[in-house]
Amino acid sequence: NHNVSAGNHENSTEAHVGISGEANLDFLNIPLTIPETTLPYTKLKIPQVKDFSLWENTGLKEFLKTTKQSFDLSVKAQYKKNKDKHSIPIPLDMVFGFINQNIKSFEKHFEKVRVKALDYFTKSYNEAKIKLDKYIAEKSQNKQPRTLEIPGYTIPVVNIEVSPFTVKMLTFGYEIPEGVSIPDSGFSVPSHAVVLPFPELPALHVPRNFLKVSLPVFKVLSIPNNILIPAMGNITYDFSFKSSVITLNTHVGLYNQSDIVAHFLTSSSSVIDALQYKLEGTSSLTLQRGLKLATALSLSNKFAEGNHDSTISLTKITMEASVTTTAKVQIPILRMNFKQELNGNTKSTPTVTSSIELKYDFNSTKLHSTATGTVEHKFNLESLTSYFSIESSNKGTIKGSVLLREYSGMIASEVSTYLNSKGTRSSVKLQGASKVDGIW
């Protein structure tokens, strides 16, 4: 069974997917019998397996608890729209001012081109008119009449007879010297001439102020000087999975409020303790009075726990950063604690400090061995234009036993360096010790 929906509303846009189902695992209760089998090309034989139950003998009964399994899956994503808008300025006044400043020079160039174009057109037209008039005059002096003979014919239906006649055709005219008559009707058309005049081009006079063009002046009226972009809204995502064995829930959100905040949370609940956990994280970005990024993570489980916090701040004058991480592990044979710190700033004296601390306790009866110890690390850095200083120290200890024989050990080191305009000073120190019962 499944369900899918989506919608776009005035204040939000969302989508949802839901799936549910059931499964019957009764077939796992059916006993299986596997006969004795000989591996091909070998003499090895696999013994017979009789009445073997996958549900009982593989541990599925303890894990799933029942053969009737069901699940429910849900996924939902939502975006809540933000009515706020970001304004981005556009310097339209400067653009139109630049155009108006250069429009006069462009108008002068345009006027020169217009005058040259009209002069060229007028000159070409007048030259063509002179050549045409000369051609017409020469043809009118040397024109020779042409004679076209047309035989007589009768127009059907109306019974009109046309007698043969000739047509004298001039260069640009037609002359019909013979008449057209209709017998027994008294209708006749006398001879006449049709003359077509020679085409003549009129004189062209273009005034100097013809097609005077003036380019417009640009003015900024009510055009907005800003572009409005919608601000980012809030985005959320939810995931849920439920079954008879485990339930998972996840939520992710990105929120745009006074600060930009990202939040992450996932957790589970189960009949098995090892599958239960909770993981949560938050990160925020602040842009007021500089830039500040803060992140926090936390994890909790039966066997492991951890936390992480970090902050980075940037201003026009200083920069600060701090990181803190802690972790804890608890399993039957090992317990361990871890801690790490890192700090730095550039306020009065640029400094960086770091420290790491690890404690552990190992105990295994099957291996007949134990071990406990610590590891420490420290680092310090200072720097100015007048001097430079660095210090570092490491220390580790261990104590335990192997096959009922006890042992212990220790190692330490210290390093320091100082540098200024007058000279350099450095020192190194190493120290170690160990002990094994019955050996040294």
Side-chain angles (χ1 to χ4, degrees):
N1 186 17
H2 66 278
N3 181 24
V4 180
S5 62
N8 184 16
H9 309 289
E10 181 180 358
N11 297 322
S12 64
T13 300
E14 58 184 21
H16 177 263
V17 177
I19 302 175
S20 60
E22 296 181 354
N24 189 349
L25 304 179
D26 287 337
F27 66 92
L28 296 176
N29 278 320
I30 301 176
L32 298 178
T33 300
I34 302 175
E36 182 180 3
T37 305
T38 302
L39 294 177
Y41 308 106
T42 66
K43 295 181 180 180
L44 298 177
K45 293 183 179 181
I46 299 177
Q48 181 184 10
V49 178
K50 187 176 182 181
D51 298 333
F52 180 80
S53 175
L54 294 175
W55 180 258
E56 298 284 347
N57 301 113
T58 59
L60 291 176
K61 182 179 180 180
E62 301 296 330
F63 182 72
L64 299 179
K65 302 299 181 181
T66 177
T67 58
K68 305 296 183 180
Q69 298 294 316
S70 62
F71 72 93
D72 187 3
L73 176 66
S74 176
V75 178
K76 182 180 180 180
Q78 185 181 51
Y79 175 74
K80 291 186 178 180
K81 302 176 183 178
N82 193 339
K83 295 183 179 180
D84 297 335
K85 295 182 179 180
H86 298 292
S87 179
I88 301 177
I90 301 177
L92 293 180
D93 294 336
M94 297 176 61
V95 175
F96 286 111
F98 176 79
I99 294 176
N100 289 328
Q101 290 177 0
N102 294 274
I103 199 71
K104 294 182 178 180
S105 60
F106 178 78
E107 189 174 0
K108 293 180 180 179
H109 291 292
F110 180 80
E111 182 69 19
K112 292 180 180 179
V113 174
R114 181 185 69 85
V115 172
K116 292 181 179 179
L118 291 177
D119 291 343
Y120 177 77
F121 174 75
T122 304
K123 182 179 179 181
S124 300
Y125 180 85
N126 292 331
E127 291 178 355
K129 183 178 182 305
I130 294 173
K131 292 181 180 180
L132 180 61
D133 293 342
K134 183 178 180 181
Y135 175 78
I136 293 174
E138 293 176 354
K139 288 295 183 181
S140 61
Q141 295 176 359
N142 301 325
K143 63 181 181 180
Q144 298 294 332
R146 298 179 182 179
T147 302
L148 179 65
E149 295 182 358
I150 300 175
Y153 59 92
T154 302
I155 300 175
V157 181
V158 295
N159 195 24
I160 296 177
E161 293 183 359
V162 180
S163 60
F165 63 93
T166 59
V167 178
K168 294 181 179 180
M169 185 174 62
L170 300 177
T171 305
F172 282 91
Y174 299 92
E175 181 178 352
I176 304 176
E178 301 295 338
V180 179
S181 62
I182 301 175
D184 301 330
S185 64
F187 177 82
S188 63
V189 178
S191 62
H192 59 279
V194 179
V195 180
L196 299 177
F198 284 97
E200 295 182 359
L201 293 178
L204 181 63
H205 301 283
V206 180
R208 302 309 298 175
N209 60 350
F210 176 70
L211 291 179
K212 185 176 182 179
V213 179
S214 61
L215 298 178
V217 177
F218 292 89
K219 294 183 179 180
V220 181
L221 300 176
S222 60
I223 300 177
N225 291 330
N226 298 319
I227 294 179
L228 299 178
I229 299 177
M232 183 186 71
N234 299 333
I235 304 173
T236 57
Y237 169 83
D238 294 283
F239 172 83
S240 175
F241 177 81
K242 298 179 181 179
S243 69
S244 58
V245 178
I246 189 173
T247 299
L248 297 174
N249 292 287
T250 300
H251 173 79
V252 180
L254 181 61
Y255 307 96
N256 182 20
Q257 299 171 351
S258 59
D259 301 332
I260 298 177
V261 180
H263 182 256
F264 173 80
L265 173 63
T266 177
S267 61
S268 69
S269 60
S270 174
V271 295
I272 303 173
D273 294 339
L275 298 180
Q276 296 184 10
Y277 74 94
K278 180 181 179 181
L279 176 62
E280 184 175 7
T282 303
S283 181
S284 62
L285 178 64
T286 303
L287 301 178
Q288 298 178 357
R289 297 185 301 275
L291 186 147
K292 182 179 180 180
L293 177 63
T295 303
L297 295 173
S298 64
L299 170 66
S300 61
N301 180 262
K302 181 181 179 181
F303 302 116
E305 296 180 2
N307 292 280
H308 171 82
D309 293 289
S310 64
T311 303
I312 299 176
S313 300
L314 297 175
T315 63
K316 295 181 179 179
I317 302 175
T318 63
M319 179 182 71
E320 294 184 53
S322 64
V323 179
T324 302
T325 303
T326 60
K328 186 178 181 180
V329 177
Q330 292 182 348
I331 57 178
I333 63 173
L334 177 63
R335 293 183 178 183
M336 183 174 63
N337 293 327
F338 173 82
K339 183 178 181 180
Q340 183 263 340
E341 293 183 356
L342 175 63
N343 296 282
N345 65 77
T346 60
K347 289 184 176 180
S348 58
T349 303
T351 60
V352 176
T353 60
S354 173
S355 64
I356 298 176
E357 182 178 354
L358 174 64
K359 296 181 180 180
Y360 60 91
D361 186 354
F362 176 79
N363 190 344
S364 176
T365 56
K366 293 183 178 180
L367 299 176
H368 303 285
S369 61
T370 62
T372 59
T374 61
V375 176
E376 296 180 359
H377 168 75
K378 293 183 179 180
F379 177 83
N380 187 21
L381 171 65
E382 293 184 6
S383 177
L384 280 177
T385 55
S386 59
Y387 75 94
F388 174 84
S389 175
I390 182 172
E391 295 179 358
S392 176
S393 63
N394 300 280
K395 184 179 180 180
T397 61
I398 186 172
K399 183 179 180 180
S401 63
V402 176
L403 300 176
L404 302 178
R405 188 180 296 275
E406 295 183 355
Y407 65 92
S408 62
M410 182 272 293
I411 185 172
S413 67
E414 295 181 1
V415 178
S416 63
T417 300
Y418 181 85
L419 173 65
N420 61 14
S421 59
K422 296 181 180 180
T424 303
R425 183 176 67 251
S426 300
S427 64
V428 177
K429 181 181 179 180
L430 297 175
Q431 184 179 1
S434 63
K435 179 180 179 182
V436 179
D437 290 345
I439 300 178
W440 69 81

